[in-house]
Amino acid sequence: MAIILDHVSHIYEEGTSMETAALRDVNLVIPDGQFIGLIGHTGSGKSTLVQHLNGLMKPTSGNIYYNGEDIHEDGFDKKKLRSKVGLVFQYPEHQLFEIDVFKDVCFGPKNMGLEEKEIELRAYAALKQVGLADEYFYQSPFDLSGGQKRRVAIAGVLAMKPEVLILDEPTAGLDPKGRDEILDQIALLRKEAGITVVLVSHSMEDVAKYVDRIIVMNQGSVMYDDEPRKIFRHYKELEEVGLAAPQVTYIMQELRERGLDVNTDAITVEEARDGILKALAAKGRDIRKA
Amino acid sequence: MLRDITLGQYYQADSVIHRLDPRVKLAATVLFIVSLFIVDNFVGYIIAAIFLACMIKISGVPFRYMIKGMKSIVFLLVIAVVFNLFLTPGEAVLSVWKLKITKEGIRIAVMMAIRLVFLIIGSSLMTLTTTPNNLTDGMEKMMSPLKIFHVPVHEVAMMMSIALRFIPILLEETDKIMKAQIARGADFESGNLIKKAKAMVPLLVPLFISAFRRANDLAMAMEARCYRGGEHRTKMKPLVYHRRDRIGYLIIFAYMAVSVCFGRILKIPFLNI
């Protein structure tokens, strides 16, 4: 039960002077329940890649399988696929259109042809999941703040109860507080509902704390695909393609260079703090011994 | 899915036609269209076809791009042809029920089709080889004598260039919103007319909101840079005629002369269908 990409390539405007390869021979397996960070510089093909996962775009060559079925085969129910693989676009608040928040969230499940009662239950549950307070439910979505609008838009996809949730830069344009809130909410959601989550971002900092696995895209191909810790060891190569490891990685590397024996694999501030304290304690013991 | 619309689209290439002064291209396009309607026999259309083919060849724009623009007028083309075919009085060739196809009808229908197709190809050749900014610059300069009659030439040109600039932006936006709604299970294709119209609401509402937001942002950005209308405004790249532009004018006038001569005035007996 997984999404499999088999030699997927996508070329825009094939055969013209503007021909560009957005994806080059991408092979990936996205197993159930994993929390994946998809990282890449602007134009690295990450947005194109996620649009392939729910069949919005068709690869120019290669195949995509969902639970063992080729999604571009005749007779494959794409509408069902889209309810199973929920995609939240960049700036999803730009897709809101209904007169109130609750109705807008109902749009997805309604399109699935569910019963009225089920639709409302799902919409309510989804709005609760994204942490929107009840008082906003019957307000116009256009009166909400940026962060709240984004929650509503994410709820709109969650209400379809997807098995895989893909979020394309869900924190773009939010302030640090809004960003942390959204990311914490997603992490919690993933823990509670046990769904697969793919988080697209250009910032290592954002995803390092949460994900089990990071896929780094560069110029349409997969550059690295590994656990966060192992990825950040390549911080120099990452810099060359316009990305950066979390700031703590740099601090730890620098400390080690200056002679403090710290574990450079730390990826969060908390881990770094514990690591530095441990190293300092060890150093203190050595001094006392001497 | 919306990338097929070529209106106002520019095809990047390096050719003489791309480098021509936009005024030459505008004048040439207008003259070419006029010639299509002056000409009334097929010799004239053969000349127009040759002229057009040469221009396309020189421009370096793939022919497929010209055809793309045609998709939007297929409907109009069919109507024009059908009406002319059946409703022109004259010598009947074929009659079906109460309708009859006449010899004159066939002639006019074919002519109409050729005119429309050439007209679209000719004008898309201009828009494909001229950036929208250049185009409106050219228009502004050409219309500047109208200032005497208090026509706000600069403002009109500015509005046009903004409108043209917004076409690709809004198309992209439409594409994005459409995809986002499809991802939420929206269906824009199936169902009857009323259902289809209803399905447009989730697309149109966000599109309008985004258009207004963009318009607002643009107005703000222009004001922040102290933009203020046409009087005393200078250009960074003023339009100046070069040698190639003069040659361009010569060629288009030569074409005009040939086309009117052979297409209207001189009747070549054996070719005159």
Side-chain angles (χ1 to χ4, degrees):
Chain A
M1 291 305 187
I3 302 175
I4 297 169
L5 283 87
D6 179 31
H7 296 285
V8 171
S9 296
H10 191 101
I11 298 161
Y12 283 115
E13 315 255 353
E14 204 168 8
T16 72
S17 63
M18 291 173 284
E19 183 177 303
T20 37
L23 294 177
R24 299 167 212 254
D25 196 35
V26 173
N27 296 291
L28 285 175
V29 177
I30 299 174
D32 272 353
Q34 216 171 33
F35 197 159
I36 298 174
L38 184 62
I39 314 272
H41 198 249
T42 313
S44 59
K46 49 193 183 346
S47 291
T48 310
L49 178 65
V50 293
Q51 287 180 38
H52 279 81
L53 298 181
N54 72 346
L56 273 177
M57 291 180 94
K58 202 175 170 192
T60 21
S61 68
N63 295 307
I64 297 160
Y65 302 94
Y66 181 70
N67 290 344
E69 283 177 89
D70 188 338
I71 65 167
H72 289 291
E73 200 138 271
D74 287 340
F76 184 84
D77 188 355
K78 283 227 182 93
K79 219 168 162 178
K80 205 171 160 197
L81 171 76
R82 284 172 193 145
S83 71
K84 294 284 172 211
V85 182
L87 175 58
V88 180
F89 273 82
Q90 233 174 83
Y91 296 102
E93 58 272 27
H94 293 175
Q95 77 195 24
L96 302 175
F97 67 96
E98 273 287 5
I99 47 172
D100 68 47
V101 166
F102 195 76
K103 273 203 183 128
D104 205 282
V105 177
C106 285
F107 182 66
K110 213 178 191 167
N111 287 328
M112 291 166 72
L114 299 171
E115 271 176 56
E116 185 88 22
K117 201 178 163 199
E118 174 71 12
I119 294 173
E120 286 179 359
L121 281 173
R122 280 184 176 207
Y124 184 77
L127 281 165
K128 285 275 126 188
Q129 275 177 321
V130 295
L132 197 80
D134 291 18
E135 67 209 72
Y136 299 117
F137 282 18
Y138 296 104
Q139 280 191 20
S140 163
F142 304 110
D143 292 340
L144 303 182
S145 74
Q148 286 163 340
K149 273 189 206 167
R150 190 155 303 179
R151 280 159 199 266
V152 173
I154 294 174
V157 172
L158 278 179
M160 299 196 294
K161 287 200 177 161
E163 289 167 2
V164 181
L165 180 66
I166 305 165
L167 300 120
D168 194 352
E169 305 254 9
T171 60
L174 291 186
D175 54 27
K177 186 167 166 271
R179 182 191 67 200
D180 288 347
E181 278 174 6
I182 292 263
L183 290 176
D184 284 340
Q185 212 95 50
I186 293 164
L188 187 73
L189 188 78
R190 185 249 170 177
K191 216 163 134 193
E192 281 172 355
I195 54 177
T196 314
V197 177
V198 179
L199 192 61
V200 179
S201 177
H202 61 267
S203 156
M204 293 280 185
E205 207 90 27
D206 280 3
V207 299
K209 202 160 100 190
Y210 303 99
V211 300
D212 313 322
R213 170 184 170 196
I214 288 181
I215 299 167
V216 180
M217 298 282 296
N218 184 35
Q219 296 185 341
S221 355
V222 176
M223 188 179 174
Y224 295 116
D225 178 2
D226 216 327
E227 288 170 36
R229 275 166 224 286
K230 289 183 184 160
I231 297 273
F232 298 144
R233 285 181 196 154
H234 302 286
Y235 68 101
K236 283 191 180 128
E237 289 91 333
L238 288 174
E239 263 177 31
E240 273 163 31
V241 299
L243 295 168
Q247 278 171 350
V248 290
T249 308
Y250 292 96
I251 293 176
M252 298 310 253
Q253 293 285 356
E254 181 118 15
L255 281 173
R256 165 153 272 197
E257 268 168 40
R258 296 202 181 180
L260 189 65
D261 186 24
V262 289
N263 181 7
T264 50
D265 277 354
I267 51 174
T268 65
V269 178
E270 288 75 24
E271 274 179 36
R273 180 195 62 200
D274 294 345
I276 293 171
L277 284 176
K278 221 169 104 189
L280 283 175
K283 205 174 176 184
R285 267 199 304 278
D286 291 346
I287 293 170
R288 247 176 279 137
K289 249 186 246 166
Chain B
M1 52 196 95
L2 287 159
R3 285 168 198 274
D4 294 338
I5 300 172
T6 49
L7 183 71
Q9 252 187 24
Y10 175 66
Y11 183 91
Q12 180 79 44
D14 186 36
S15 75
V16 185
I17 297 199
H18 281 77
R19 270 171 282 151
L20 272 184
D21 190 293
R23 284 171 289 176
V24 182
K25 281 187 267 190
L26 273 167
T29 310
V30 172
L31 285 177
F32 179 72
I33 291 171
V34 168
S35 84
L36 288 178
F37 287 88
I38 291 178
V39 163
D40 66 351
N41 65 40
F42 287 93
V43 179
Y45 289 122
I46 293 166
I47 296 169
I50 294 168
F51 177 71
L52 203 53
C54 291
M55 290 304 130
I56 292 171
K57 187 80 195 147
I58 297 169
S59 75
V61 180
F63 191 62
R64 284 186 298 116
Y65 273 76
M66 312 278 164
I67 304 295
K68 263 191 188 173
M70 215 76 86
K71 277 183 197 157
S72 50
I73 61 143
V74 166
F75 190 60
L76 184 73
L77 198 63
V78 168
I79 288 183
V81 167
V82 167
F83 271 68
N84 278 304
L85 207 54
F86 288 106
L87 299 177
T88 314
E91 185 190 331
V93 179
L94 189 79
S95 54
V96 187
W97 183 51
K98 274 181 190 169
L99 301 164
K100 56 178 198 258
I101 297 175
T102 63
K103 205 174 167 186
E104 288 78 2
I106 295 173
R107 190 169 178 276
I108 291 180
V110 171
M111 227 173 227
M112 203 60 151
I114 295 177
R115 275 178 185 166
L116 274 174
V117 169
F118 281 15
L119 190 148
I120 293 291
I121 294 182
S123 40
S124 27
L125 183 64
M126 176 185 68
T127 53
L128 282 164
T129 56
T130 320
T131 59
N133 272 341
N134 246 328
L135 201 62
T136 41
D137 263 7
M139 276 183 188
E140 189 180 342
K141 198 87 182 252
M142 281 180 115
M143 291 193 300
S144 57
L146 291 176
K147 274 183 196 157
I148 304 164
F149 307 107
H150 296 285
V151 178
V153 173
H154 172 78
E155 280 74 10
V156 171
M158 192 51 151
M159 276 193 258
M160 269 197 59
S161 72
I162 290 174
L164 282 174
R165 183 66 197 89
F166 265 63
I167 291 171
I169 292 177
L170 289 181
L171 281 180
E172 206 174 289
E173 193 85 16
T174 312
D175 199 46
K176 231 188 310 186
I177 297 168
M178 220 166 168
K179 275 182 178 166
Q181 305 298 24
I182 291 173
R184 292 166 80 190
D187 189 350
F188 295 108
E189 268 135 35
S190 61
N192 57 24
L193 204 63
I194 296 168
K195 220 177 152 192
K196 267 187 189 163
K198 264 189 172 169
M200 294 307 270
V201 174
L203 176 65
L204 291 179
V205 173
L207 190 63
F208 270 102
I209 290 170
S210 124
F212 285 134
R213 192 183 52 235
R214 278 176 195 283
N216 205 7
D217 289 352
L218 182 67
M220 204 96 88
M222 284 167 80
E223 238 160 66
R225 293 178 212 179
C226 304
Y227 171 81
R228 46 171 290 281
E231 274 314 294
H232 308 301
R233 204 178 153 75
T234 52
K235 291 241 181 274
M236 193 162 121
K237 290 179 191 158
L239 291 175
V240 183
Y241 283 125
H242 294 278
R243 213 172 87 94
R244 57 168 177 267
D245 301 316
R246 279 175 221 120
I247 296 173
Y249 274 126
L250 270 180
I251 291 174
I252 187 68
F253 282 122
Y255 159 75
M256 243 345 231
V258 170
S259 129
V260 172
C261 271
F262 287 94
R264 184 97 189 193
I265 302 164
L266 292 177
K267 304 276 186 200
I268 303 171
F270 59 95
L271 275 173
N272 198 16
I273 321 166

